[in-house]
Amino acid sequence: MLARWLPAAINTRPSEWSRAAIGMALGTMFSVWLCSQVFGIEVAQHLIGPLGASAVLLFAVSSGALAQPWSILGGYLSAGVIALLVAHVLGRTLGSACLAAGMALILMCWLRCLHPPAGALALTLVLADPATIALDWKALAPVMLGASTMLFSALVYNNLTRIRYPKRASEPVGVVPADHPPIDRQAITAEDLKLALADMEAFFDVTPEDLEQLIHASELHAKRRSIGEVLSRSA
């Protein structure tokens, strides 16, 4: 039972950690700085929490479904609208902030733009600082400016550091081509994985195409290992 609490091994190298860390630092700094130049430092600092969380996704796990452009832009817009609407109707209390976060989650799922930091954004916009409250509905402007700037930073930095971003839903990332043929007719396909994910009825930050590619790559490695064992025995 205790083994379930142990963290899984990270399959990335320290060089990738450094690349993502530098990108996160630069992206967050640029987003907050630009927002502060337009709307003031108080408003910008109030958004630094959600923006920092978004930076982790966009720079460290940029291949994930939750880190794609529509996720951050649609997620921030959904959370911003819901939060301001709830604040106007129910006031700025802890209960209304939590309600806004839950409603934002439902809207993001419906619009297919689930982005976890947007949940934090909904909370912070309801329980906002005086400068943000004074903006009223205009508070959506710094929210979207911060999200757009973070997205722009990720687009530039990731591609400059040879990380393809964004990734289309039908474009797997890796060494195996997207149109890699199944090894046999009973091989698992993306459509099979979509049905399996639907059966599990849970959130997974991975696309069926990525899973299909991973399975095909694993099959190839297993095949090469099997051939190598046969050759070593023959020798």
Side-chain angles (χ1 to χ4, degrees), residues 167-172 178-179 207 209:
K167 186 196 67 169
R168 295 179 301 174
S170 59
E171 179 185 13
D179 58 350
T207 64
E209 290 79 12

Side-chain angles (χ1 to χ4, degrees), residues 193-202:
L193 292 168
K194 289 178 182 178
L195 295 174
L197 290 174
D199 291 339
M200 297 180 71
E201 296 183 349

Side-chain angles (χ1 to χ4, degrees), residues 31-41 44 145:
S31 300
V32 175
W33 174 81
L34 183 59
C35 191
S36 67
Q37 297 300 303
V38 179
F39 299 99
I41 189 63
L145 175 62

Side-chain angles (χ1 to χ4, degrees), residues 124-225:
T124 58
L125 279 185
V126 175
L127 303 176
D129 65 297
T132 303
I133 293 176
L135 290 175
D136 198 28
W137 283 99
K138 293 180 181 179
L140 286 175
V143 166
M144 297 313 298
L145 175 62
S148 301
T149 306
M150 184 66 70
L151 175 58
F152 174 77
S153 302
L155 287 169
V156 174
Y157 182 83
N158 284 336
N159 285 284
L160 284 178
T161 53
R162 300 183 179 181
I163 299 296
R164 183 180 298 178
Y165 181 81
K167 186 196 67 169
R168 295 179 301 174
S170 59
E171 179 185 13
V173 176
V175 296
V176 182
D179 58 350
H180 176 75
I183 294 178
D184 57 60
R185 295 182 62 85
Q186 295 183 344
I188 298 173
T189 64
E191 188 61 32
D192 297 324
L193 292 168
K194 289 178 182 178
L195 295 174
L197 290 174
D199 291 339
M200 297 180 71
E201 296 183 349
F203 290 110
F204 293 94
D205 188 21
V206 63
T207 64
E209 290 79 12
D210 285 336
L211 290 175
E212 181 187 26
Q213 186 181 17
L214 179 61
I215 291 173
H216 289 162
S218 300
E219 290 173 341
L220 288 175
H221 284 294
K223 186 175 181 180
R224 290 169 183 168
R225 174 176 50 79

